[in-house]
Amino acid sequence: MQNQDFKHNSKLAQILAQLREQIKQKYSFMEVCGTHTVSILKNGFRDYFKNKIDFLSGPGCPVCVTAQRDIDKIVCLAKQNVIIATFGDMIKVPGTKSSLEKEQAKGADVKIIYNPLQCIDLARKYKDKKIVFIGIGFETTAPVIAALVQDAYQKNIRNLFILPLLKTIPQAINFLLQSPKVNINGFLLPGHVSVIIGENPYKFINSKYQLACAIAGFEPLDIALAIKSLLSQIKDGNPKIDNVYRRVVKKEGNPKAKVLIFKTFQKCDTYWRGLGIIPHSGLKLLDKYADFDADKNFSLEFEIEEKATGCICGDILAGIKSPLDCKLFGTKCTPDNPIGPCMVSIEGACSAFYKYGLTSINK
Ligand code: SF4
């Protein structure tokens, strides 16, 4: 639904008209989820609130935040006569010199999967091969990867490995908010991640930074209600974690999924593209599952070099720049020829801007 179609949804149109009317100064709201970025662009929110709200894309796309050095590590693995099992978005992301797609063209065995649990079938089918699953994602994906590890452990599967590149969102938000370059008045918090972790892990955003927060769903009305909540919190000087996605997100999150995560992983420092190392923002396998850890079972020696490509994905993920600030956007960098991960993933800001936002970018 583009913005001109808001009038076909009277409740939504009414809320939006009231909101636009009441905004007297410009605000910057960060959405910390690639699905929100897509929905905001696709549904015309940027145009509708032009000069009133800047929507900043945060570090909420798992492919985008995977560092160049981790892509190089994946490429290094792909060269070792293994089967790489990965979500499809990962194969085009360029590392320093290569990508999974390029390695596949040279003969590497790369299989695209949709559910990590498919790796059990792969391990059984290809008994004489080592299967390495590229475990990217946030708290949303962590439980299913944990289930994979638990299942493989119980079934004593010996030819399956996980490269754990999981990241956690609250630590990234905290890190961003410590930067003097970041100017944010409120957060649309990610619906999917919140389904797992609930409301409490975000409380520091209110107490430490006095910023408004709304946990939001992905339909246009969900986003409108989240914006309404942020504006109201700012007006009242009463920042809180307002869950406007209660039909899906429970205050306590999903306790079973949380137990599964902490039975399988432990916190670690991890490297985010463009942001650097963020303390305690990663999940690595517990020592009990070391036999499944690709980091511990393969020779992964490669030189860490961050190649300068002109890509500004890091600044976009930090909410400092927009895709149109990139000189390569739409010229040298397109979805068919992506230079950075934000153009590869369908949830990446550059890809979403390219598809839906060429006329509506808040620079
Ligand atoms: Fe990187 Fe391409 Fe986006 Fe520029 S347009 S920031 S090169 S992904």
Side-chain angles (χ1 to χ4, degrees), residues 29-47 55-62 64 188-192 216-219 223 316-317 319 321-323 329 342 345-357 360-361:
F29 294 155
M30 175 175 273
E31 76 270 3
V32 196
C33 175
T35 314
H36 278 149
T37 301
V38 170
S39 185
I40 285 165
L41 279 159
K42 185 177 169 186
N43 293 301
F45 281 92
R46 277 180 192 272
D47 277 341
F55 292 97
L56 308 174
S57 302
C61 153
C64 306
L188 275 84
L189 294 172
H192 296 141
F218 304 97
E219 296 301 322
I223 290 173
I316 293 170
L317 296 165
K321 291 191 174 161
S322 106
F329 179 84
C342 298
S345 169
I346 50 166
E347 294 201 338
C350 298
S351 158
F353 271 78
Y354 189 88
K355 193 165 180 191
Y356 303 111
S360 62
I361 292 168

Side-chain angles (χ1 to χ4, degrees), residues 143-248:
V144 70
I145 298 179
L148 169 67
V149 174
Q150 299 285 337
D151 200 22
Y153 183 80
Q154 277 160 21
K155 290 174 175 154
N156 198 25
I157 290 175
R158 312 301 299 175
N159 62 331
L160 175 61
F161 304 87
I162 287 91
L163 184 66
L165 297 172
L166 289 164
K167 296 177 170 57
T168 54
I169 288 291
Q171 287 72 19
I173 294 177
N174 189 35
F175 185 83
L176 277 184
L177 288 174
Q178 290 168 28
S179 165
K181 292 186 194 165
V182 172
N183 177 24
I184 297 171
N185 302 112
F187 285 93
L188 275 84
L189 294 172
H192 296 141
V193 165
S194 305
V195 167
I196 306 298
I197 67 175
E199 299 174 14
N200 283 342
Y202 304 117
K203 287 260 163 79
F204 72 93
I205 306 174
N206 306 146
S207 56
K208 195 169 164 190
Y209 301 102
Q210 288 77 49
L211 289 175
C213 293
I215 296 174
F218 304 97
E219 296 301 322
L221 185 57
D222 293 320
I223 290 173
L225 291 174
I227 294 169
K228 183 180 178 189
S229 169
L230 294 181
L231 292 171
S232 155
Q233 291 178 49
I234 292 169
K235 179 167 167 270
D236 297 344
N238 180 27
K240 58 186 176 183
I241 309 300
D242 190 11
N243 182 358
V244 296
Y245 196 32
R246 285 216 176 104
R247 68 182 187 278
V248 176

Side-chain angles (χ1 to χ4, degrees), residues 65 67 70 164-168 267-273 275-283:
V65 296
D70 287 324
L165 297 172
L166 289 164
K167 296 177 170 57
T168 54
K267 290 256 178 201
C268 64
D269 301 347
T270 198
Y271 197 94
W272 296 59
R273 183 180 292 256
L275 305 179
I277 292 177
I278 303 182
H280 310 297
S281 68
L283 295 172

Side-chain angles (χ1 to χ4, degrees), residues 309-313 316 323 326-330 333 339-343 350:
T309 60
C311 173
I312 58 163
C313 277
I316 293 170
C326 178
K327 292 187 178 72
L328 308 176
F329 179 84
C333 182
I339 290 174
C342 298
M343 189 61 94
C350 298

